[in-house]
Amino acid sequence: MHAFDSANKRVKPVLVSSTGALQVDVLSMSGSGDATAANQVTNHTKLDTLATKLDTLDGSVNTIEGCVAAGELAVAHGGLTELASAINSSKVDVNIVSDGASLATSANQATANGHLSDIKATHYTDGDAVSASSKGQLIFGKDNSNNAHPLHITANGDLEVEIADFVKGQATMASSFPVVLSSNHSAIGVTHGAFTELESAINSNKMDVNIVSDGASLATSGNQTAMNANLSNILTDTTATKPDFDQLSLESATLITSGSNTTEIDMNGYNHLTVYGSSSVNFGSLCLVRRSSSAGTDYLDGSNMVSASDPSGGSNYHFAATFQNVGNRYVALRNISGSSQTVTLFVVKHR
């Protein structure tokens, strides 16, 4: 292998040793940190010192490891030794020699505990018994001017309350305080003289009224008598306006025994009467009965209605009769046959 000789501008073979190692010729060393024999001697001296210190440190570490292995680490400092002796049951005993900071003492704490007990005694829970000597707190309220005032109670211990939002005394309903009476309250006495007199005027759930002066021209008993007479005349006049006749069913398959009457007929406003119907008895007889009042004494008319055979061949027997100017308001028909008969009757009242 050859290399270039820059000084002679020639190529020359590269030299090696007999073992084949490359031979290098160091011409100069210009760096200030280059290794020299003197520097290496200094390095060896410092390395020897370091080795000595490491041996010493290794011995100390071995000693510490021995203490740790034994479960304790010896401390030679006197203050730490005294501190260790002050530890009692995992707590440090402290002896306050001088209270320059005015620390709390057991005497002051005992006094404070007494005050706390007094404060605790002034607080109660629901249902606690309170004696006359029990202590308590005074409760204050605040007015509109932010001034404190104690709450007032009565001699019985009830809280006094003033309803300030409502008008005191008489006022309109909208401005008055509403009061709801209980459903089982007793009677409320009224001492106003006018109410007392009003109560005495109540008689049998009605109020007696004495009209001293009839300034309003009220109705009187005399006026009512005259009015009743006028009403009676009106009633008589109105009867003439009734229909010309009135037909009604008097009996419907009704059994009438011998000597008994039919239902009463009111002839008010009518003069004539027509009766027709049927009977279960051949030649069954009915007679007109006159009365002076409703359900009054019977007066037989003497007229006689006799049933006749059914012209169409039926099983019933029939009546038909007309009474002119009956004259009585109340009339009826009586069974004057010797036996009972079942009748169906209609009446027509005429003017």
Side-chain angles (χ1 to χ4, degrees):
M1 182 176 66
H2 292 76
F4 179 72
D5 183 1
S6 61
N8 297 318
K9 308 297 182 183
R10 295 179 181 179
V11 177
K12 292 181 180 181
V14 178
L15 299 179
V16 296
S17 66
S18 59
T19 61
L22 182 64
Q23 292 184 355
V24 179
D25 185 10
V26 179
L27 298 179
S28 64
M29 298 179 63
S30 59
S32 60
D34 297 336
T36 63
N39 289 336
Q40 290 176 338
V41 171
T42 301
N43 288 338
H44 290 165
T45 300
K46 291 182 177 181
L47 289 173
D48 290 340
T49 301
L50 180 59
T52 301
K53 292 184 178 295
L54 289 174
D55 290 339
T56 302
L57 179 59
D58 184 60
S60 298
V61 171
N62 291 333
T63 302
I64 293 173
E65 288 179 351
C67 292
V68 172
E72 61 181 10
L73 181 62
V75 179
H77 193 281
L80 295 177
T81 302
E82 293 181 3
L83 181 61
S85 63
I87 297 175
N88 182 16
S89 299
S90 300
K91 298 179 179 63
V92 178
D93 296 334
V94 179
N95 182 17
I96 301 176
V97 178
S98 176
D99 185 11
S102 301
L103 300 177
T105 63
S106 60
N108 289 336
Q109 288 177 334
T111 302
N113 289 337
H115 294 323
L116 290 174
S117 297
D118 292 339
I119 295 174
K120 180 181 178 182
T122 63
H123 292 76
Y124 307 98
T125 59
D126 189 18
D128 287 347
V130 180
S131 64
S133 61
S134 297
K135 298 179 180 179
Q137 291 180 332
L138 186 62
I139 302 176
F140 283 76
K142 183 179 70 173
D143 61 16
N144 294 334
S145 300
N146 294 326
N147 298 319
H149 299 282
L151 300 184
H152 290 184
I153 61 174
T154 64
N156 295 327
D158 299 324
L159 180 64
E160 293 182 352
V161 178
E162 178 182 358
I163 307 300
D165 294 338
F166 291 89
V167 178
K168 302 176 181 64
Q170 292 183 339
T172 60
M173 181 66 71
S175 301
S176 300
F177 186 74
V179 177
V180 179
L181 299 179
S182 60
S183 60
N184 60 345
H185 64 82
S186 57
I188 300 177
V190 179
T191 58
H192 194 279
F195 286 115
T196 303
E197 294 181 3
L198 182 63
E199 181 181 7
S200 62
I202 297 175
N203 182 16
S204 299
N205 296 328
K206 297 178 180 63
M207 181 176 293
D208 296 335
V209 178
N210 182 19
I211 301 176
V212 179
S213 176
D214 185 11
S217 300
L218 300 177
T220 63
S221 60
N223 292 336
Q224 288 178 333
T225 300
M227 181 179 65
N228 291 336
N230 294 331
L231 290 175
S232 178
N233 294 332
I234 293 174
L235 181 62
T236 303
D237 295 339
T238 56
T239 57
T241 63
K242 289 185 178 181
D244 291 337
F245 68 94
D246 183 17
Q247 178 174 298
L248 57 90
S249 174
L250 186 64
E251 304 292 350
S252 178
T254 305
L255 177 64
I256 301 178
T257 60
S258 177
S260 298
N261 299 331
T262 64
T263 303
E264 186 177 75
I265 304 170
D266 186 357
M267 293 294 294
N268 182 32
Y270 298 97
N271 297 322
H272 316 297
L273 177 66
T274 297
V275 181
Y276 64 92
S278 63
S279 171
S280 60
V281 177
N282 190 16
F283 302 113
S285 298
L286 294 176
C287 179
L288 186 67
V289 176
R290 300 174 183 273
R291 295 170 181 170
S292 60
S293 60
S294 178
T297 304
D298 294 340
Y299 297 96
L300 297 181
D301 180 79
S303 59
N304 188 14
M305 293 188 302
V306 180
S307 61
S309 298
D310 188 349
S312 62
S315 59
N316 289 325
Y317 306 93
H318 295 265
F319 293 100
T322 299
F323 301 90
Q324 299 289 334
N325 297 319
V326 174
N328 293 81
R329 178 172 178 177
Y330 302 102
V331 296
L333 299 174
R334 174 176 294 185
N335 180 12
I336 58 175
S337 297
S339 62
S340 300
Q341 55 180 321
T342 300
V343 296
T344 297
L345 297 176
F346 297 91
V347 294
V348 179
K349 297 180 289 186
H350 307 267
R351 299 212 180 277

